[in-house]
Amino acid sequence: MPAGLNRALLTVTGVVIAIVLAIAISSVAILAAGASPLDAFAAFFDFGDVGRAQSNGIATFINRAVPLFIAGLAVAVGFRMNLFNIGVEGQYRLAAIVAAYVGSTFTAPAPIQIAVIIIVAAATGGLYALIPAVMKVTRGVNEVIATIMLNYIAINLTSYLVRGPFAGERAAGQLTTTTPVLPESAMFPNLNVLFDWFGLVAPTRGGGLQGFLLVAIVLGVIVWIVLERTRFGFDIKASGLNGPAALASGVNPKKMIIAAMVMSGGIAGLIGLPEILGDKGAFNSNFTAGLGFLGIAVALLGRNKPVGIAFAALLFAFLDRAQGSLQFAGVPASVVTIIQAVTVLLVVIANEVTKRLALRMEERRAAQQLGRDKDPVEVTA
């Protein structure tokens, strides 16, 4: 059997075993919570009884997956360089509020308005990620410590900005503070037409099926091409695996660290845009938090590959969407977090085990091939 196919089969087998074990362990947790595992798993597939509810459930599921996918891509770029960019959380929040505010200060045709907002978000996230990158290459500061501290700064800075300099007018009875509302030209068109194609009722919750899904797909393809099919992607991987060896071959690892962190931060800056451009039309004090930290788990589960990250994001979104259904079934919503954590942990362990097994099998195959190559020589002698 070819080595590549053998490795792929081992990987798939490891993931399947990990998921089965995760279901078993999660069932124990559900039983410990005094609920029925069968009721809990049935709730995951409960999208409602009427057409509108089912469409809303599907749209919520996909809309949740989009920012998780982008977050996973941002983290994966850092991982490819052997950098742990925990600062994705702060980078996307700061980028979201800056982009939302800048987008509210002018009105232009929709393509220009949306493009400017996207560019501002990416630039803000990239510039904020540049800080820990410069600290690492100039002073040797560990990026984990630097990005954790910068997360606190970004989170508190956005809280100040949304209540202070960037605050918009608050409507009567409104409990949250927001940036000024974006003009209509800044709102990304939805993809509800896809539901019409399949004969389903168009969703209404959360702005329908958010059009930023298309941007996420294009972004995933671009990241895959850059990391897997370009010299730049090879240089990042080489620098991450062995900096001195990369330097000897003409690649500057310090430049690669800065490039990878800025690219990671730029992608992270887009995480909050689906919510702003597809639903809320502004950044508010209840803006969705935690996507950056979830992105770490999504990237690990997807093995830092855009396709794997897409499936991991869909899995996490599928589990998150079911929280309401679980509560109706009498199952604590915290079970979702347990399932996510156990799944990631077991898949990471399975990946490491299958990697070592594949390496051993390749070494054994190489040794056998070497033995066969030596036999004719020995006979001739």
Side-chain angles (χ1 to χ4, degrees):
M1 184 180 296
L5 180 58
N6 195 19
R7 183 184 288 270
L9 288 175
L10 277 174
T11 300
V12 172
T13 302
V15 170
V16 170
I17 293 174
I19 292 176
V20 171
L21 288 174
I23 292 174
I25 294 173
S26 302
S27 298
V28 174
I30 294 170
L31 287 171
S36 167
L38 293 178
D39 292 341
F41 291 119
F44 284 117
F45 296 92
D46 182 11
F47 281 81
D49 297 325
V50 296
R52 181 75 67 184
Q54 292 170 356
S55 297
N56 284 335
I58 294 171
T60 300
F61 160 50
I62 298 175
N63 290 344
R64 177 64 173 174
V66 169
L68 290 175
F69 174 65
I70 300 173
L73 290 178
V75 175
V77 171
F79 279 159
R80 184 61 65 97
M81 181 64 212
N82 206 20
L83 295 171
F84 206 170
N85 183 14
I86 300 180
V88 168
E89 181 71 19
Q91 290 154 16
Y92 93 81
R93 290 212 217 177
L94 188 60
I97 191 171
V98 171
Y101 179 75
V102 171
S104 69
T105 59
F106 71 100
T107 301
I112 298 175
Q113 186 94 23
I114 293 173
V116 169
I117 293 173
I118 291 175
I119 291 170
V120 169
T124 303
L127 288 173
Y128 201 62
L130 179 63
I131 298 173
V134 172
M135 292 171 67
K136 183 175 180 67
V137 300
T138 59
R139 294 298 178 186
V141 178
N142 186 284
E143 75 277 2
V144 174
I145 297 173
T147 51
I148 288 175
M149 295 299 102
L150 286 168
N151 272 343
Y152 286 109
I153 294 173
I155 291 169
N156 287 284
L157 180 58
T158 53
S159 296
Y160 162 72
L161 290 174
V162 77
R163 292 176 174 84
F166 289 0
E169 294 183 5
R170 184 185 298 187
Q174 183 178 343
L175 299 178
T176 59
T177 55
T178 72
T179 56
V181 177
L182 290 170
E184 189 63 31
S185 60
M187 301 304 292
F188 215 102
N190 63 46
L191 298 177
N192 286 351
V193 65
L194 296 178
F195 287 84
D196 295 334
W197 292 353
F198 290 97
L200 299 173
V201 180
T204 55
R205 186 188 305 162
L209 182 59
Q210 295 168 4
F212 212 82
L213 169 64
L214 299 178
V215 177
I217 293 172
V218 172
L219 181 63
V221 173
I222 292 173
V223 169
W224 179 81
I225 292 173
V226 169
L227 294 183
E228 303 291 344
R229 292 292 184 269
T230 66
R231 173 65 185 270
F232 175 76
F234 176 80
D235 289 347
I236 284 182
K237 186 175 182 179
S239 301
L241 290 174
N242 193 325
L247 183 61
S249 65
V251 179
N252 189 332
K254 290 185 177 181
K255 287 185 179 180
M256 289 297 103
I257 288 174
I258 292 176
M261 282 296 287
V262 170
M263 183 178 176
S264 177
I267 295 172
L270 306 181
I271 296 172
L273 294 189
E275 182 174 343
I276 293 174
L277 302 183
D279 183 18
K280 306 296 184 184
F283 182 99
N284 61 46
S285 53
N286 283 340
F287 193 74
T288 303
L291 295 174
F293 297 127
L294 284 173
I296 298 173
V298 170
L300 288 172
L301 191 59
R303 302 191 69 181
N304 300 323
K305 304 287 186 180
V307 174
I309 291 170
F311 282 109
L314 288 170
L315 174 61
F316 270 59
F318 178 75
L319 295 174
D320 283 342
R321 183 213 60 82
Q323 291 188 17
S325 300
L326 286 172
Q327 290 178 340
F328 281 117
V331 181
S334 57
V335 166
V336 170
T337 306
I338 294 173
I339 295 174
Q340 290 174 339
V342 170
T343 302
V344 171
L345 180 62
L346 291 175
V347 168
V348 169
I349 293 173
N351 286 341
E352 186 62 29
V353 171
T354 54
K355 185 190 300 182
R356 294 187 181 187
L357 285 174
L359 183 60
R360 265 186 210 173
M361 292 175 68
E362 289 174 8
E363 289 174 347
R364 190 179 299 118
R365 186 182 294 109
Q368 292 173 350
Q369 182 64 38
L370 184 60
R372 283 196 297 268
D373 292 341
K374 284 183 177 180
D375 284 344
V377 177
E378 292 174 357
V379 170
T380 303

